[in-house]
Amino acid sequence: SLAYTNSDSRSVNDGGSIAQSQWRDRVVSGDPNANVLGYSSYLQTHRINAYGSYKLNYLNEKASTTFGFTYSVAPAGRYSYVYSGDMNGDNQTSNDLMYIPRGQSEIILKDLTGYTADQQWQDLDKFISQDPYLSSRRGQYAERNGAELPWQANFDFKIIQDFYVKVGGKKNTIQLTLDVFNFGNYVSSNWGLGQSAIKTAVLNYVNNDAQGRPVFQFPFRTGTTPLTETFQRNLGLGSRWQAQFGLRYIFN
């Protein structure tokens, strides 16, 4: 079986446990009470799924071995580019969508220790240019859940070993199973790895200047190392292969 799905999903609010958290966690570019349509948090624009199995019978129908696999590849999720700080005065510091400047004249940056405003702009401009989503939105605000994580592939492999035994005139089954999840990562340590955005709040809102214009800083990624790329590889459990053994006795 092979299937491809293409989808689109928009929402005003993806929901939450209480009204306050729904309001707090919905990123906006201005009025936090405006019902603006945006991409759903759960949207997967593309997805490819493949399934297959093959069964061998032998020993005069006293045993069989089944080999099976599932393969799924799709973008690993969505996220929003926001400011770090309270731009619109709603007492929330991580829900204000970021404006992507076309040039240095559209943003006011403030010096950091050892990192001048001009240096910050040069690095910020390079970061925007290397990011496919940000570079496509210059002169506009980022969209809610507008950015998409890279595709992640997952290949699972399964072996089922059945032995058929007659008990009281009925055929029962002793079944041994082996599941290997994220089998690609077992084959190569470079396969089956997910990726995440290094930072989604790339600009810090500092304050407004005397003319009421917002002032920002583009901080280092770590120490004195600038932020130069969007994604990093995840090395958590979701990116590692795992194996599971099973034993069952099936009455028939």
Side-chain angles (χ1 to χ4, degrees):
S1 173
L2 177 64
Y4 166 74
T5 303
N6 175 262
S7 61
D8 191 6
S9 175
R10 311 294 174 98
S11 65
V12 170
N13 199 314
D14 281 329
S17 58
I18 58 174
Q20 192 273 341
S21 64
Q22 293 179 37
W23 179 84
R24 178 197 64 202
D25 297 335
R26 185 178 63 171
V27 294
V28 296
S29 57
D31 182 0
N33 297 314
N35 290 324
V36 178
L37 198 66
Y39 290 103
S40 168
S41 299
Y42 313 104
L43 169 64
Q44 280 192 321
T45 50
H46 307 279
R47 188 176 185 90
I48 298 172
N49 289 320
Y51 313 91
S53 65
Y54 187 76
K55 186 175 183 178
L56 293 169
N57 293 299
Y58 48 90
L59 296 179
N60 295 321
E61 303 295 324
K62 292 181 179 178
S64 67
T65 304
T66 303
F67 303 93
F69 76 90
T70 63
Y71 178 78
S72 177
V73 57
R78 306 191 72 85
Y79 63 98
S80 309
Y81 277 106
V82 297
Y83 293 119
S84 176
D86 186 9
M87 273 282 294
N88 60 355
D90 63 357
N91 293 319
Q92 305 300 318
T93 59
S94 59
N95 71 338
D96 297 320
L97 287 167
M98 170 184 165
Y99 176 81
I100 299 94
R102 283 172 290 207
Q104 190 171 5
S105 63
E106 290 194 337
I107 187 171
I108 301 174
L109 292 165
K110 181 179 180 181
D111 290 349
L112 282 162
T113 303
Y115 203 20
T116 67
D118 284 339
Q119 290 173 327
Q120 290 176 52
W121 166 250
Q122 294 299 321
D123 288 338
L124 174 61
D125 187 49
K126 291 177 184 177
F127 177 79
I128 293 172
S129 295
Q130 65 82 45
D131 185 294
Y133 177 75
L134 291 177
S135 60
S136 72
R137 298 287 299 178
R138 282 187 185 267
Q140 304 174 79
Y141 280 93
E143 304 159 288
R144 177 163 56 92
N145 294 320
E148 194 170 56
L149 293 174
W151 289 51
Q152 181 176 1
N154 196 72
F155 181 78
D156 297 336
F157 182 68
K158 187 181 188 77
I159 299 176
I160 302 173
Q161 179 63 55
D162 290 322
F163 296 101
Y164 307 113
V165 294
K166 282 193 175 182
V167 179
K170 295 183 178 180
K171 186 172 78 171
N172 293 345
T173 305
I174 300 172
Q175 187 177 88
L176 305 172
T177 59
L178 168 64
D179 293 276
V180 182
F181 306 107
N182 200 2
F183 184 71
N185 185 248
Y186 173 79
V187 176
S188 170
S189 60
N190 293 319
W191 294 354
L193 301 178
Q195 296 186 66
S196 62
I198 297 171
K199 291 183 72 174
T200 58
V202 298
L203 284 172
N204 292 345
Y205 167 68
V206 180
N207 54 27
N208 287 356
D209 65 10
Q211 287 77 43
R213 299 172 300 178
V215 179
F216 303 97
Q217 291 176 326
F218 180 58
F220 288 116
R221 174 181 174 179
T222 55
T224 57
T225 302
L227 183 65
T228 59
E229 56 189 354
T230 304
F231 302 111
Q232 61 185 353
R233 287 185 171 182
N234 293 334
L235 301 178
L237 196 60
S239 292
R240 301 179 187 180
W241 71 271
Q242 302 170 68
Q244 175 179 281
F245 297 92
L247 171 63
R248 291 200 300 174
Y249 188 91
I250 302 172
F251 297 92
N252 188 2

PDB file of all heavy atoms in Angstrom, residues 181-204:
ATOM      1  N   PHE A 181      11.633  -0.104  15.745  1.00  0.00           N
ATOM      2  CA  PHE A 181      11.093   1.213  15.429  1.00  0.00           C
ATOM      3  C   PHE A 181      12.224   2.132  14.970  1.00  0.00           C
ATOM      4  O   PHE A 181      13.319   2.101  15.526  1.00  0.00           O
ATOM      5  CB  PHE A 181      10.393   1.812  16.649  1.00  0.00           C
ATOM      6  CG  PHE A 181       9.338   0.904  17.239  1.00  0.00           C
ATOM      7  CD1 PHE A 181       9.558   0.245  18.443  1.00  0.00           C
ATOM      8  CD2 PHE A 181       8.144   0.685  16.567  1.00  0.00           C
ATOM      9  CE1 PHE A 181       8.594  -0.597  18.979  1.00  0.00           C
ATOM     10  CE2 PHE A 181       7.180  -0.160  17.100  1.00  0.00           C
ATOM     11  CZ  PHE A 181       7.409  -0.806  18.301  1.00  0.00           C
ATOM     12  N   ASN A 182      11.936   2.953  13.981  1.00  0.00           N
ATOM     13  CA  ASN A 182      12.950   3.828  13.372  1.00  0.00           C
ATOM     14  C   ASN A 182      14.144   2.994  12.902  1.00  0.00           C
ATOM     15  O   ASN A 182      15.301   3.270  13.222  1.00  0.00           O
ATOM     16  CB  ASN A 182      13.403   4.922  14.348  1.00  0.00           C
ATOM     17  CG  ASN A 182      14.050   6.103  13.638  1.00  0.00           C
ATOM     18  OD1 ASN A 182      14.134   6.146  12.418  1.00  0.00           O
ATOM     19  ND2 ASN A 182      14.530   7.063  14.419  1.00  0.00           N
ATOM     20  N   PHE A 183      13.830   1.972  12.123  1.00  0.00           N
ATOM     21  CA  PHE A 183      14.842   1.027  11.652  1.00  0.00           C
ATOM     22  C   PHE A 183      15.938   1.722  10.851  1.00  0.00           C
ATOM     23  O   PHE A 183      17.093   1.288  10.853  1.00  0.00           O
ATOM     24  CB  PHE A 183      14.172  -0.058  10.799  1.00  0.00           C
ATOM     25  CG  PHE A 183      15.093  -1.145  10.333  1.00  0.00           C
ATOM     26  CD1 PHE A 183      15.591  -2.081  11.229  1.00  0.00           C
ATOM     27  CD2 PHE A 183      15.447  -1.238   9.001  1.00  0.00           C
ATOM     28  CE1 PHE A 183      16.434  -3.090  10.796  1.00  0.00           C
ATOM     29  CE2 PHE A 183      16.295  -2.243   8.559  1.00  0.00           C
ATOM     30  CZ  PHE A 183      16.787  -3.176   9.460  1.00  0.00           C
ATOM     31  N   GLY A 184      15.600   2.816  10.166  1.00  0.00           N
ATOM     32  CA  GLY A 184      16.608   3.543   9.407  1.00  0.00           C
ATOM     33  C   GLY A 184      17.750   4.022  10.277  1.00  0.00           C
ATOM     34  O   GLY A 184      18.915   4.009   9.858  1.00  0.00           O
ATOM     35  N   ASN A 185      17.441   4.436  11.505  1.00  0.00           N
ATOM     36  CA  ASN A 185      18.483   4.890  12.409  1.00  0.00           C
ATOM     37  C   ASN A 185      19.367   3.744  12.884  1.00  0.00           C
ATOM     38  O   ASN A 185      20.528   3.947  13.238  1.00  0.00           O
ATOM     39  CB  ASN A 185      17.857   5.612  13.610  1.00  0.00           C
ATOM     40  CG  ASN A 185      18.871   6.214  14.548  1.00  0.00           C
ATOM     41  OD1 ASN A 185      19.020   5.770  15.690  1.00  0.00           O
ATOM     42  ND2 ASN A 185      19.590   7.215  14.082  1.00  0.00           N
ATOM     43  N   TYR A 186      18.810   2.524  12.891  1.00  0.00           N
ATOM     44  CA  TYR A 186      19.618   1.337  13.203  1.00  0.00           C
ATOM     45  C   TYR A 186      20.629   1.070  12.087  1.00  0.00           C
ATOM     46  O   TYR A 186      21.778   0.725  12.335  1.00  0.00           O
ATOM     47  CB  TYR A 186      18.717   0.130  13.404  1.00  0.00           C
ATOM     48  CG  TYR A 186      19.455  -1.173  13.559  1.00  0.00           C
ATOM     49  CD1 TYR A 186      20.044  -1.522  14.775  1.00  0.00           C
ATOM     50  CD2 TYR A 186      19.575  -2.060  12.494  1.00  0.00           C
ATOM     51  CE1 TYR A 186      20.737  -2.713  14.922  1.00  0.00           C
ATOM     52  CE2 TYR A 186      20.263  -3.249  12.620  1.00  0.00           C
ATOM     53  CZ  TYR A 186      20.832  -3.579  13.843  1.00  0.00           C
ATOM     54  OH  TYR A 186      21.528  -4.762  13.977  1.00  0.00           O
ATOM     55  N   VAL A 187      20.189   1.288  10.840  1.00  0.00           N
ATOM     56  CA  VAL A 187      21.062   1.053   9.692  1.00  0.00           C
ATOM     57  C   VAL A 187      22.157   2.103   9.627  1.00  0.00           C
ATOM     58  O   VAL A 187      23.329   1.803   9.389  1.00  0.00           O
ATOM     59  CB  VAL A 187      20.237   1.049   8.393  1.00  0.00           C
ATOM     60  CG1 VAL A 187      21.138   0.902   7.168  1.00  0.00           C
ATOM     61  CG2 VAL A 187      19.200  -0.070   8.425  1.00  0.00           C
ATOM     62  N   SER A 188      21.791   3.375   9.852  1.00  0.00           N
ATOM     63  CA  SER A 188      22.763   4.470   9.805  1.00  0.00           C
ATOM     64  C   SER A 188      22.413   5.499  10.869  1.00  0.00           C
ATOM     65  O   SER A 188      21.251   5.876  11.003  1.00  0.00           O
ATOM     66  CB  SER A 188      22.756   5.133   8.422  1.00  0.00           C
ATOM     67  OG  SER A 188      23.518   6.334   8.431  1.00  0.00           O
ATOM     68  N   SER A 189      23.400   5.946  11.592  1.00  0.00           N
ATOM     69  CA  SER A 189      23.162   6.935  12.648  1.00  0.00           C
ATOM     70  C   SER A 189      22.738   8.288  12.087  1.00  0.00           C
ATOM     71  O   SER A 189      22.300   9.168  12.834  1.00  0.00           O
ATOM     72  CB  SER A 189      24.426   7.105  13.502  1.00  0.00           C
ATOM     73  OG  SER A 189      25.514   7.552  12.696  1.00  0.00           O
ATOM     74  N   ASN A 190      22.856   8.480  10.761  1.00  0.00           N
ATOM     75  CA  ASN A 190      22.451   9.740  10.140  1.00  0.00           C
ATOM     76  C   ASN A 190      21.029   9.700   9.602  1.00  0.00           C
ATOM     77  O   ASN A 190      20.547  10.695   9.066  1.00  0.00           O
ATOM     78  CB  ASN A 190      23.410  10.086   8.990  1.00  0.00           C
ATOM     79  CG  ASN A 190      24.804  10.407   9.484  1.00  0.00           C
ATOM     80  OD1 ASN A 190      24.977  11.080  10.490  1.00  0.00           O
ATOM     81  ND2 ASN A 190      25.814   9.913   8.781  1.00  0.00           N
ATOM     82  N   TRP A 191      20.355   8.558   9.723  1.00  0.00           N
ATOM     83  CA  TRP A 191      18.999   8.427   9.199  1.00  0.00           C
ATOM     84  C   TRP A 191      17.986   8.487  10.342  1.00  0.00           C
ATOM     85  O   TRP A 191      18.297   8.160  11.485  1.00  0.00           O
ATOM     86  CB  TRP A 191      18.831   7.110   8.452  1.00  0.00           C
ATOM     87  CG  TRP A 191      19.642   7.006   7.191  1.00  0.00           C
ATOM     88  CD1 TRP A 191      20.407   7.984   6.614  1.00  0.00           C
ATOM     89  CD2 TRP A 191      19.770   5.853   6.351  1.00  0.00           C
ATOM     90  NE1 TRP A 191      21.005   7.510   5.482  1.00  0.00           N
ATOM     91  CE2 TRP A 191      20.635   6.208   5.284  1.00  0.00           C
ATOM     92  CE3 TRP A 191      19.248   4.556   6.388  1.00  0.00           C
ATOM     93  CZ2 TRP A 191      20.978   5.318   4.279  1.00  0.00           C
ATOM     94  CZ3 TRP A 191      19.587   3.666   5.388  1.00  0.00           C
ATOM     95  CH2 TRP A 191      20.434   4.045   4.341  1.00  0.00           C
ATOM     96  N   GLY A 192      16.772   8.866  10.002  1.00  0.00           N
ATOM     97  CA  GLY A 192      15.681   8.855  10.970  1.00  0.00           C
ATOM     98  C   GLY A 192      15.763   9.926  12.037  1.00  0.00           C
ATOM     99  O   GLY A 192      15.089   9.834  13.066  1.00  0.00           O
ATOM    100  N   LEU A 193      16.561  10.947  11.797  1.00  0.00           N
ATOM    101  CA  LEU A 193      16.738  12.001  12.786  1.00  0.00           C
ATOM    102  C   LEU A 193      15.752  13.151  12.536  1.00  0.00           C
ATOM    103  O   LEU A 193      15.586  13.603  11.398  1.00  0.00           O
ATOM    104  CB  LEU A 193      18.161  12.559  12.740  1.00  0.00           C
ATOM    105  CG  LEU A 193      19.295  11.559  12.996  1.00  0.00           C
ATOM    106  CD1 LEU A 193      20.650  12.258  12.871  1.00  0.00           C
ATOM    107  CD2 LEU A 193      19.160  10.934  14.372  1.00  0.00           C
ATOM    108  N   GLY A 194      15.106  13.608  13.586  1.00  0.00           N
ATOM    109  CA  GLY A 194      14.249  14.776  13.476  1.00  0.00           C
ATOM    110  C   GLY A 194      15.060  16.052  13.628  1.00  0.00           C
ATOM    111  O   GLY A 194      16.216  16.033  14.075  1.00  0.00           O
ATOM    112  N   GLN A 195      14.462  17.173  13.245  1.00  0.00           N
ATOM    113  CA  GLN A 195      15.101  18.477  13.401  1.00  0.00           C
ATOM    114  C   GLN A 195      14.122  19.435  14.066  1.00  0.00           C
ATOM    115  O   GLN A 195      12.907  19.297  13.934  1.00  0.00           O
ATOM    116  CB  GLN A 195      15.537  19.038  12.045  1.00  0.00           C
ATOM    117  CG  GLN A 195      16.590  18.211  11.337  1.00  0.00           C
ATOM    118  CD  GLN A 195      17.083  18.892  10.068  1.00  0.00           C
ATOM    119  OE1 GLN A 195      17.713  19.945  10.114  1.00  0.00           O
ATOM    120  NE2 GLN A 195      16.782  18.285   8.930  1.00  0.00           N
ATOM    121  N   SER A 196      14.661  20.405  14.774  1.00  0.00           N
ATOM    122  CA  SER A 196      13.848  21.434  15.407  1.00  0.00           C
ATOM    123  C   SER A 196      14.502  22.788  15.178  1.00  0.00           C
ATOM    124  O   SER A 196      15.699  22.880  14.861  1.00  0.00           O
ATOM    125  CB  SER A 196      13.704  21.165  16.911  1.00  0.00           C
ATOM    126  OG  SER A 196      14.971  21.191  17.542  1.00  0.00           O
ATOM    127  N   ALA A 197      13.716  23.849  15.327  1.00  0.00           N
ATOM    128  CA  ALA A 197      14.249  25.201  15.188  1.00  0.00           C
ATOM    129  C   ALA A 197      15.126  25.530  16.398  1.00  0.00           C
ATOM    130  O   ALA A 197      14.737  25.284  17.540  1.00  0.00           O
ATOM    131  CB  ALA A 197      13.118  26.198  15.065  1.00  0.00           C
ATOM    132  N   ILE A 198      16.297  26.056  16.137  1.00  0.00           N
ATOM    133  CA  ILE A 198      17.206  26.420  17.227  1.00  0.00           C
ATOM    134  C   ILE A 198      16.574  27.510  18.097  1.00  0.00           C
ATOM    135  O   ILE A 198      16.564  27.426  19.325  1.00  0.00           O
ATOM    136  CB  ILE A 198      18.558  26.899  16.666  1.00  0.00           C
ATOM    137  CG1 ILE A 198      19.246  25.763  15.913  1.00  0.00           C
ATOM    138  CG2 ILE A 198      19.463  27.406  17.793  1.00  0.00           C
ATOM    139  CD1 ILE A 198      20.481  26.197  15.149  1.00  0.00           C
ATOM    140  N   LYS A 199      16.016  28.534  17.453  1.00  0.00           N
ATOM    141  CA  LYS A 199      15.326  29.606  18.164  1.00  0.00           C
ATOM    142  C   LYS A 199      14.154  30.072  17.324  1.00  0.00           C
ATOM    143  O   LYS A 199      14.296  30.276  16.118  1.00  0.00           O
ATOM    144  CB  LYS A 199      16.264  30.800  18.425  1.00  0.00           C
ATOM    145  CG  LYS A 199      17.376  30.534  19.428  1.00  0.00           C
ATOM    146  CD  LYS A 199      18.198  31.791  19.675  1.00  0.00           C
ATOM    147  CE  LYS A 199      17.423  32.820  20.481  1.00  0.00           C
ATOM    148  NZ  LYS A 199      18.272  33.990  20.834  1.00  0.00           N
ATOM    149  N   THR A 200      13.000  30.219  17.955  1.00  0.00           N
ATOM    150  CA  THR A 200      11.858  30.798  17.252  1.00  0.00           C
ATOM    151  C   THR A 200      11.659  32.268  17.640  1.00  0.00           C
ATOM    152  O   THR A 200      10.980  32.997  16.928  1.00  0.00           O
ATOM    153  CB  THR A 200      10.575  30.014  17.557  1.00  0.00           C
ATOM    154  OG1 THR A 200      10.340  30.003  18.975  1.00  0.00           O
ATOM    155  CG2 THR A 200      10.702  28.569  17.067  1.00  0.00           C
ATOM    156  N   ALA A 201      12.256  32.690  18.755  1.00  0.00           N
ATOM    157  CA  ALA A 201      12.244  34.099  19.160  1.00  0.00           C
ATOM    158  C   ALA A 201      13.648  34.643  18.912  1.00  0.00           C
ATOM    159  O   ALA A 201      14.490  34.670  19.809  1.00  0.00           O
ATOM    160  CB  ALA A 201      11.847  34.243  20.627  1.00  0.00           C
ATOM    161  N   VAL A 202      13.926  35.044  17.677  1.00  0.00           N
ATOM    162  CA  VAL A 202      15.292  35.407  17.297  1.00  0.00           C
ATOM    163  C   VAL A 202      15.623  36.851  17.634  1.00  0.00           C
ATOM    164  O   VAL A 202      16.801  37.220  17.694  1.00  0.00           O
ATOM    165  CB  VAL A 202      15.527  35.141  15.797  1.00  0.00           C
ATOM    166  CG1 VAL A 202      15.369  33.662  15.493  1.00  0.00           C
ATOM    167  CG2 VAL A 202      14.582  35.947  14.924  1.00  0.00           C
ATOM    168  N   LEU A 203      14.595  37.699  17.862  1.00  0.00           N
ATOM    169  CA  LEU A 203      14.823  39.098  18.213  1.00  0.00           C
ATOM    170  C   LEU A 203      14.273  39.382  19.601  1.00  0.00           C
ATOM    171  O   LEU A 203      13.156  38.968  19.931  1.00  0.00           O
ATOM    172  CB  LEU A 203      14.147  40.029  17.206  1.00  0.00           C
ATOM    173  CG  LEU A 203      14.824  40.197  15.848  1.00  0.00           C
ATOM    174  CD1 LEU A 203      13.917  40.984  14.909  1.00  0.00           C
ATOM    175  CD2 LEU A 203      16.168  40.892  15.993  1.00  0.00           C
ATOM    176  N   ASN A 204      15.028  40.115  20.402  1.00  0.00           N
ATOM    177  CA  ASN A 204      14.575  40.550  21.719  1.00  0.00           C
ATOM    178  C   ASN A 204      14.032  41.978  21.613  1.00  0.00           C
ATOM    179  O   ASN A 204      14.721  42.875  21.111  1.00  0.00           O
ATOM    180  CB  ASN A 204      15.722  40.529  22.733  1.00  0.00           C
ATOM    181  CG  ASN A 204      16.194  39.121  23.039  1.00  0.00           C
ATOM    182  OD1 ASN A 204      15.514  38.144  22.731  1.00  0.00           O
ATOM    183  ND2 ASN A 204      17.373  39.011  23.629  1.00  0.00           N
TER     184      ASN A 204
END
